[in-house]
Amino acid sequence: MAITSANQLELLQTAEAVAREKMIDPGLVVEAMEESLARAAKSRYGAEMDIRVSIDRKTGKATFTRVRTVVEDEELENYQAELTVEQAKQYMEAPEVGNVYVEEVPPVEMGRIAAQSAKQVILQKVREAERDRQYEDFKDRAGTIINGAVKREEFGNVIVDLGGAEAVLRRNDKIGRESYRPNDRVRAYIKEVRREVRGHQIFLSRTAPEFMAELFKMEVPEIYDGIIEVKAVARDPGSRAKIAVISYDGSIDPVGACVGMRGSRVQAVVNELQGEKIDIIPWNEDQPTFLVNALQPAEVSKVVLDEEAGKIEVVVPEEQLSLAIGRRGQNVRLASQLTNLDIDIMTEAEESARRQKEFEARTNLFMETLDLDEFFAQLLVSEGFTNLEEVAYVEIDELLVIDGVDEGTAQELQTRAREFLEAQAKAALDAARALGVEDSLIEFEGLTPQMVEALAKDDVKTLEDFATCADWELAGGWTTVDGERIKDDGVLEPFGVTLEEAQDMVMTARIMLGWVDPAELEQAEEDGEAIEEEAEA
């Protein structure tokens, strides 16, 4: 596209043709042409000159002008683009600082190199305008399903033509080993639309759980109308999936509506997902009940929920164990994703053996620490007492309900328990001091002497040491190494310290040391809550 000052009308025709092809504003193309012509003129007249070009939108005539700005004498730096007030008097009446003097200069003829440079400027501007147009067109369509045609495949990533825009379906967003040929039709979920300096802005996915939810929305009118809601989806793309649904109309069965007549509705989704087997599960607010549903087709004997730890124990008959776990743990993994709980599955025999072991361990604890005979210790365990703290600090009435325990016996039990706990705390405190722990850490609220001793053994001996700890170092956590989850043991994990509690203690220590301003922290929390509220809205 060689541009010369002679082919003025052709400029407008070229701009309109490019704008029509790329579906952008012709004015943007003309602005790009003006910039490219100005750049070519500067190469002829001098790079320090402020040369500007204006193209008439009707005739295509390009006007070249030189602009000089009036500045103070001491601020004069560029003699080609600036004037002092005194110098400006020969061109202007009563010039003032900030005035500009514009004079027309002869247009320039472009050589081959200048024309090539101008072409690059125009193409770059057009590409930027095209990307902006794509972003504006698709930014509000994130979270929806779109159809497109395969354009090409690059290193396992599929470039999809959406009609006026291109999107990318990355290798890890394809189901299994899906392969596509040019012009194949593809349906995918718009996962993300974002601005990028170069490359694709629209990212598609066929593995996202939301893709399945949107497919059901297309196939099941009740979901589209809001009568049925998809509450959760868990997928092992291309293999198996679980979807939890709830009906807000008592007369409509959510599972039946999603299955459809003779399975027609669910089969349409299965076909789109390359034969992915789908379990449709009724949602329930009660987590144990929902989990029993989520583990279908396996039958569950008993569920024990630990809400604080976010864990759940599931007991199944021996013959149901392999079905509950599934091939390579697939069934229990999907149920865990669906319910957002850590699930521990065991057989009835394993549960019985574990409970017996716990019973014996607690019995021995009470026999050794409280100097009780086996029968009395078993009575305490049978009544639900699990540790010395419960015996020592429980309301005395709860001990009196045990057969054969009067008020004197109950008080003696509590005295023995408290004395043993105090002796333990003193021993832990002495050990911590012997290891060099400072009083600032010993007196920190929330840390027991046993916790302080454990910290000291891990070389955390001052409040400063404690303040530099990460929350997962204290409470424990998980890391992924080479695709495998590995458990990180926390120093205070044996004492039941949760990740949230560890975060609070570390932040309190940092505030006490003056490392963190409480006002700034409070403002950051308020800003975070505001962002979350906006996202939910």
Side-chain angles (χ1 to χ4, degrees), residues 290-310:
F290 180 41
L291 180 62
V292 170
N293 296 339
L295 282 170
Q296 293 176 3
E299 295 177 5
V300 176
S301 302
K302 185 166 62 173
V303 172
V304 180
L305 174 65
D306 184 346
E307 291 185 3
E308 288 187 7

Side-chain angles (χ1 to χ4, degrees), residues 108-284:
V108 298
E109 294 288 339
M110 284 198 193
R112 182 177 59 82
I113 295 175
Q116 189 65 28
S117 174
K119 179 180 178 181
Q120 291 303 320
V121 172
I122 293 170
L123 290 177
Q124 178 63 27
K125 286 286 185 181
V126 168
R127 277 195 292 268
E128 289 174 3
E130 191 177 10
R131 279 198 289 269
D132 287 341
R133 194 259 315 157
Q134 286 183 12
Y135 177 77
E136 292 300 323
D137 286 351
F138 286 90
K139 67 178 181 180
D140 296 326
R141 297 180 67 180
T144 62
I145 288 178
I146 198 164
N147 293 306
V150 174
K151 203 166 185 179
R152 63 186 181 278
E153 193 163 352
E154 298 174 350
F155 309 106
N157 301 324
V158 178
I159 309 304
V160 181
D161 184 359
L162 303 179
E166 280 188 1
V168 62
L169 177 63
R170 290 177 287 200
R171 181 186 305 177
N172 58 348
D173 284 313
K174 294 192 294 184
I175 296 174
R177 296 183 178 178
E178 281 183 331
S179 60
Y180 296 96
R181 291 176 295 182
N183 299 320
D184 281 355
R185 300 297 298 174
V186 61
R187 178 186 288 180
Y189 176 80
I190 301 180
K191 188 176 180 180
E192 185 180 8
V193 182
R194 66 171 181 250
R195 290 186 183 274
E196 288 195 349
V197 176
R198 54 190 302 173
H200 294 89
Q201 298 174 299
I202 305 166
F203 297 92
L204 306 179
S205 176
R206 285 175 54 78
T207 60
E210 296 86 356
F211 182 44
M212 176 180 285
E214 287 297 312
L215 286 173
F216 270 101
K217 188 176 180 180
M218 293 171 67
E219 297 294 336
V220 183
E222 292 86 348
I223 295 179
Y224 182 83
D225 293 336
I227 299 170
I228 293 174
E229 182 185 356
V230 176
K231 297 289 286 186
V233 181
R235 291 181 64 192
D236 193 348
S239 177
R240 194 177 193 91
K242 292 179 183 286
I243 180 168
V245 292
I246 186 171
S247 173
Y248 295 112
D249 185 334
S251 63
I252 295 177
D253 172 26
V255 176
C258 291
V259 171
M261 188 72 69
R262 297 181 182 176
S264 58
R265 291 175 174 176
V266 71
Q267 193 57 46
V269 178
V270 169
N271 292 341
E272 179 62 45
L273 299 177
Q274 306 293 325
E276 196 169 309
K277 295 181 178 66
I278 302 173
D279 297 332
I280 303 173
I281 295 159
W283 168 270
N284 197 301

Side-chain angles (χ1 to χ4, degrees), residues 55-101:
I55 296 176
D56 190 294
R57 299 311 196 257
K58 292 182 180 179
T59 65
K61 182 183 177 182
T63 304
F64 291 70
T65 56
R66 177 188 180 188
V67 178
R68 284 185 281 181
T69 305
V70 179
V71 297
E72 298 281 2
D73 291 359
E74 62 273 12
E75 294 179 4
L76 182 64
E77 293 179 357
N78 184 351
Y79 293 92
Q80 301 290 349
E82 295 173 343
L83 290 167
T84 64
V85 174
E86 194 61 37
Q87 290 170 339
K89 287 180 180 177
Q90 58 183 309
Y91 306 109
M92 308 165 66
E93 289 185 12
E96 295 179 2
V97 173
N99 289 160
V100 292
Y101 174 63

Side-chain angles (χ1 to χ4, degrees), residues 447-492:
L447 293 179
T448 65
Q450 288 87 342
M451 290 181 185
V452 174
E453 183 186 10
L455 288 168
K457 289 178 179 177
D458 201 54
D459 207 29
V460 177
K461 300 178 182 179
T462 67
L463 191 60
E464 287 81 359
D465 293 340
F466 186 71
T468 60
C469 290
D471 48 18
W472 61 267
E473 290 178 307
L474 300 176
W478 294 84
T479 53
T480 303
V481 179
D482 296 330
E484 185 178 343
R485 291 188 80 205
I486 297 175
K487 181 74 173 68
D488 290 320
D489 294 326
V491 182
L492 302 183

Side-chain angles (χ1 to χ4, degrees), residues 276-462:
E276 196 169 309
K277 295 181 178 66
I278 302 173
D279 297 332
I280 303 173
I281 295 159
W283 168 270
N284 197 301
E285 289 289 345
D286 181 57
Q287 282 188 314
T289 304
F290 180 41
L291 180 62
V292 170
N293 296 339
L295 282 170
Q296 293 176 3
E299 295 177 5
V300 176
S301 302
K302 185 166 62 173
V303 172
V304 180
L305 174 65
D306 184 346
E307 291 185 3
E308 288 187 7
K311 292 183 179 179
I312 198 158
E313 291 179 356
V314 177
V315 182
V316 297
E318 185 73 41
E319 66 275 8
Q320 293 285 316
L321 182 63
S322 60
L323 191 61
I325 294 173
R327 187 178 63 178
R328 297 177 183 173
Q330 186 183 63
N331 194 55
V332 68
R333 185 172 66 251
L334 290 175
S336 179
Q337 291 174 17
L338 201 69
T339 57
N340 202 27
L341 290 167
D342 285 336
I343 302 172
D344 186 12
I345 293 184
M346 62 184 72
T347 63
E348 292 170 340
E350 288 172 339
E351 192 228 6
S352 177
R354 194 203 64 179
R355 289 195 174 280
Q356 183 61 33
K357 189 176 179 181
E358 286 178 356
F359 187 87
E360 290 174 359
R362 289 168 184 169
T363 299
N364 290 332
L365 171 69
F366 291 143
M367 287 171 64
E368 293 169 7
T369 57
L370 300 179
D371 192 23
L372 302 176
D373 61 30
E374 185 177 11
F375 176 74
F376 206 112
Q378 287 177 345
L379 274 178
L380 280 177
V381 178
S382 300
E383 287 297 327
F385 290 94
T386 61
N387 55 54
L388 287 175
E389 285 80 0
E390 291 176 358
V391 177
Y393 302 111
V394 77
E395 292 292 334
I396 199 166
D397 291 344
E398 295 191 33
L399 289 170
L400 294 176
V401 299
I402 302 173
D403 288 341
V405 175
D406 55 22
E407 192 166 335
T409 305
Q411 288 176 347
E412 177 62 22
L413 277 173
Q414 288 199 320
T415 300
R416 291 183 187 181
R418 288 171 183 171
E419 286 176 352
F420 187 87
L421 290 172
E422 287 167 5
Q424 266 192 330
K426 184 179 183 306
L429 205 56
D430 291 343
R433 290 189 189 279
L435 289 168
V437 175
E438 293 185 1
D439 288 344
S440 59
L441 188 61
I442 291 172
E443 294 166 3
F444 185 80
E445 188 176 349
L447 293 179
T448 65
Q450 288 87 342
M451 290 181 185
V452 174
E453 183 186 10
L455 288 168
K457 289 178 179 177
D458 201 54
D459 207 29
V460 177
K461 300 178 182 179
T462 67

